[in-house]
Amino acid sequence: MTNSVVIIAGGGIGGLSTALTLHQIGVPCIVFESVRDLRPLGVGINLQPNAVRELYDLGITEQDLDRVGLPAKEWALVGLNGNDIYSEPRGLFAGYNWPQYAVHRGLFHVLLHEKVVERIGSEAVRLGSRVTGYRKKSDGGVSALIEHADGSTFEVSGALLIGADGIHSAVRAQMHPNQPPIHWGGAVMWRGTTWAKPIRTGASFVGLGTHRHRMVFYPISHPDPQTGLSMINWIAEVTMDNSEGWKQSGWFRQVSIDDFVHHFDNWIWGWLDVPALIRQADCAFENPMIDRDPVSTWRDGPVLLLGDAAHAMYPTGSNGGSQAIVDARILGAAMIEHDVTQEALAAYDAKLCGPISQLILRNRGAGPFGLLNMVDERCGGTFNNIDDVIPPKERAEFMAGYRAAAGFATEQLNKAPQTIPNGARVRTARAV
Ligand SMILES: Cc1cc2nc3c(=O)[nH]c(=O)nc-3n(C[C@H](O)[C@H](O)[C@H](O)COP(=O)(O)OP(=O)(O)OC[C@H]3O[C@@H](n4cnc5c(N)ncnc54)[C@H](O)[C@@H]3O)c2cc1C
């Protein structure tokens, strides 16, 4: 008989949030992560209020999050003439009961790992262990096929397997063997961090430029009390011809700043010097903006997809990681209702797969940055007064539509009951 352990493939934001959630509700689990060493890699991401709410419910505190980031105060789009196209407050400043946090992705990831080790134990995350596939068992359980970094292979059996192994998911590849290859729409992002003085509110997300050529930047640390400088996360983005597909090998690589800074040569204003911001970074990474076409289901019997493995999407809505955290919590809620069973996986799939697949397509249409496409269509990007191009009401309605689709409409979120009530446990909870 298969034991009741839940196997998690992938120890990223999604996998570790799942481990913390399962532990909280009394379900034993084990995470297999392919890298040998968890290091604080990556640059910045925003955690939306719907995700921060779940983190607080997981006992991750404001103090914890202030170590890895800071509460965001504003989201703003600015045209190349330096004039605002749109701005809105964020998090607590927008009336949510929870903040939005702009965090260093790598430090946040390490924080989650520390919490897992502290609460479940050092054996909870097996590093250097790549899940290569799965085998469904006749008793309803599942075996994960695992390759260790030393080349050895083994199988681990459990009640369920959660594929949280990211956009290149091996679990998804087996579940959907005919899925199309990764989709690239032509945008290339270069990303880095630079210590600099934060502008506007001191915690503003700024998208500057046009629908095909822009710079996004926001602070991801509180300012240093001595220098006033914050770590600024920046993403420089240009849309290119994609008719011949992505020509570089691999989807992520370190590049020289000279390879791309020329795209931003003249982007200098009294309040911002983009080439200087880019040049002062220690290093830069190139990422084509990629996603995957939605699939019809995220479940195959006792196997489930979660996070980017389920719904890799363009980062235009700043919500892929936030959604991975919410996924973990919805899975936990489904287990409270249906126990550690395939019915729980079916309930999660029924609730999330349809609407979040729609969100993937919406982000392909630029997500909230769609306002820049509207500016381009209506005035070719040149305007004096944005109100003559897109009236304030239309701008506000456009943004409200995105928030609702992404699950962080203010009123609904504030009024929604906790995803997992305090103290809730699965029926078969063990004393863990
Ligand atoms: C430029 C950019 C900006 C972004 N900005 C935001 C933002 O502001 N807000 C936001 O919420 N999200 C943002 N995102 C998205 C966010 O980073 C991802 O959605 C999130 O990291 C997904 O987490 P995950 O755990 O599902 O996948 P991943 O982070 O990819 O983690 C998967 C893990 O599984 C491991 N793994 C892979 N294959 C295997 C295997 N076969 N076996 C075992 N382990 C395996 C990997 O090593 C990794 O640790 C952004 C993304 C990009 C590219």
Side-chain angles (χ1 to χ4, degrees):
M1 179 66 188
T2 302
N3 65 48
S4 61
V5 168
V6 173
I7 303 165
I8 301 170
I13 293 172
L16 296 180
S17 301
T18 304
L20 289 169
T21 298
L22 296 186
H23 175 72
Q24 184 183 46
I25 63 173
V27 178
C29 64
I30 181 162
V31 180
F32 291 98
E33 163 57 52
S34 56
V35 304
R36 284 167 183 252
D37 242 347
L38 280 187
R39 284 177 296 136
L41 296 176
V43 277
I45 63 167
N46 272 278
L47 300 171
Q48 302 297 339
N50 56 342
V52 173
R53 173 188 198 176
E54 301 301 339
L55 293 171
Y56 283 4
D57 283 355
L58 270 173
I60 291 171
T61 63
E62 194 180 328
Q63 290 72 27
D64 289 328
L65 293 177
D66 279 326
R67 279 199 285 127
V68 300
L70 84 169
K73 292 185 177 158
E74 187 192 30
W75 190 92
L77 284 185
V78 180
L80 281 179
N81 55 6
N83 292 346
D84 272 19
I85 291 172
Y86 179 80
S87 69
E88 65 177 24
R90 282 292 171 122
L92 296 175
F93 304 86
Y96 287 100
N97 293 344
W98 304 272
Q100 172 180 327
Y101 262 87
V103 298
H104 186 287
R105 201 206 73 88
L107 294 178
F108 173 63
H109 185 207
V110 168
L111 168 72
L112 291 179
H113 183 241
E114 280 167 10
K115 297 285 177 192
V116 170
V117 171
E118 195 179 290
R119 295 178 189 180
I120 318 181
S122 56
E123 290 296 296
V125 182
R126 307 288 171 89
L127 298 174
S129 305
R130 194 164 68 89
V131 174
T132 56
Y134 59 86
R135 202 162 52 76
K136 290 188 279 178
K137 296 172 59 169
S138 54
D139 66 1
V142 61
S143 284
L145 314 180
I146 297 169
E147 185 179 271
H148 194 263
D150 66 13
S152 60
T153 58
F154 57 102
E155 282 189 31
V156 173
S157 295
L160 304 171
L161 168 65
I162 311 301
D165 48 346
I167 190 169
H168 306 289
S169 169
V171 177
R172 177 174 169 131
Q174 179 170 342
M175 191 182 290
H176 294 286
N178 299 320
Q179 68 172 341
I182 279 181
H183 164 263
W184 173 53
V188 180
M189 299 176 291
W190 296 279
R191 307 166 73 189
T193 54
T194 301
W195 286 92
K197 218 163 183 78
I199 62 166
R200 295 177 73 109
T201 63
S204 292
F205 174 111
V206 181
L208 166 69
T210 74
H211 65 309
R212 292 176 69 85
H213 189 185
R214 64 178 172 241
M215 182 78 184
V216 168
F217 54 95
Y218 53 91
I220 53 171
S221 76
H222 286 280
D224 180 304
Q226 309 292 321
T227 62
L229 305 183
S230 286
M231 182 182 278
I232 308 288
N233 175 67
W234 51 259
I235 305 167
E237 188 186 319
V238 174
T239 300
M240 305 177 171
D241 173 21
N242 66 339
S243 54
E244 294 192 0
W246 181 245
K247 289 288 178 207
Q248 307 291 346
S249 62
W251 299 104
F252 180 80
R253 64 184 182 124
Q254 191 165 342
V255 289
S256 155
I257 284 169
D258 287 330
D259 290 355
F260 67 92
V261 69
H262 59 274
H263 290 293
F264 299 87
D265 268 352
N266 301 318
W267 288 41
I268 300 171
W269 295 264
W271 49 278
L272 179 72
D273 181 335
V274 171
L277 185 73
I278 294 176
R279 284 198 182 282
Q280 282 158 23
D282 290 344
C283 60
F285 300 94
E286 182 182 78
N287 266 156
M289 195 188 281
I290 50 177
D291 67 3
R292 281 200 182 273
D293 289 343
V295 284
S296 55
T297 177
W298 296 344
R299 173 181 166 239
D300 175 16
V303 184
L304 188 75
L305 302 176
L306 181 146
D308 274 12
H311 49 65
M313 55 180 120
Y314 284 2
T316 45
S318 307
N319 60 320
S322 305
Q323 185 60 44
I325 295 167
V326 171
D327 291 353
R329 304 296 289 168
I330 290 182
L331 176 61
M335 285 193 189
I336 288 166
E337 195 174 343
H338 300 282
D339 219 328
V340 186
T341 60
Q342 296 192 20
E343 285 69 42
L345 306 195
Y348 159 104
D349 193 34
K351 181 159 187 161
L352 288 178
C353 181
I356 303 304
S357 297
Q358 287 304 313
L359 194 60
I360 297 174
L361 301 177
R362 195 170 184 132
N363 279 10
R364 226 175 243 187
F369 285 93
L371 279 177
L372 293 179
N373 299 49
M374 285 159 74
V375 170
D376 181 65
E377 281 154 20
R378 294 184 190 185
C379 67
T382 311
F383 63 91
N384 287 322
N385 183 352
I386 190 64
D387 290 356
D388 300 335
V389 183
I390 317 175
K393 186 162 176 280
E394 193 181 351
R395 301 197 299 266
E397 281 170 2
F398 179 88
M399 291 300 290
Y402 186 81
R403 282 195 294 276
F408 48 92
T410 323
E411 277 310 303
Q412 280 96 318
L413 181 64
N414 285 350
K415 276 197 272 174
Q418 275 180 301
T419 310
I420 298 184
N422 292 343
R425 317 254 300 163
V426 294
R427 286 195 288 279
T428 50
R430 293 213 203 137
V432 282

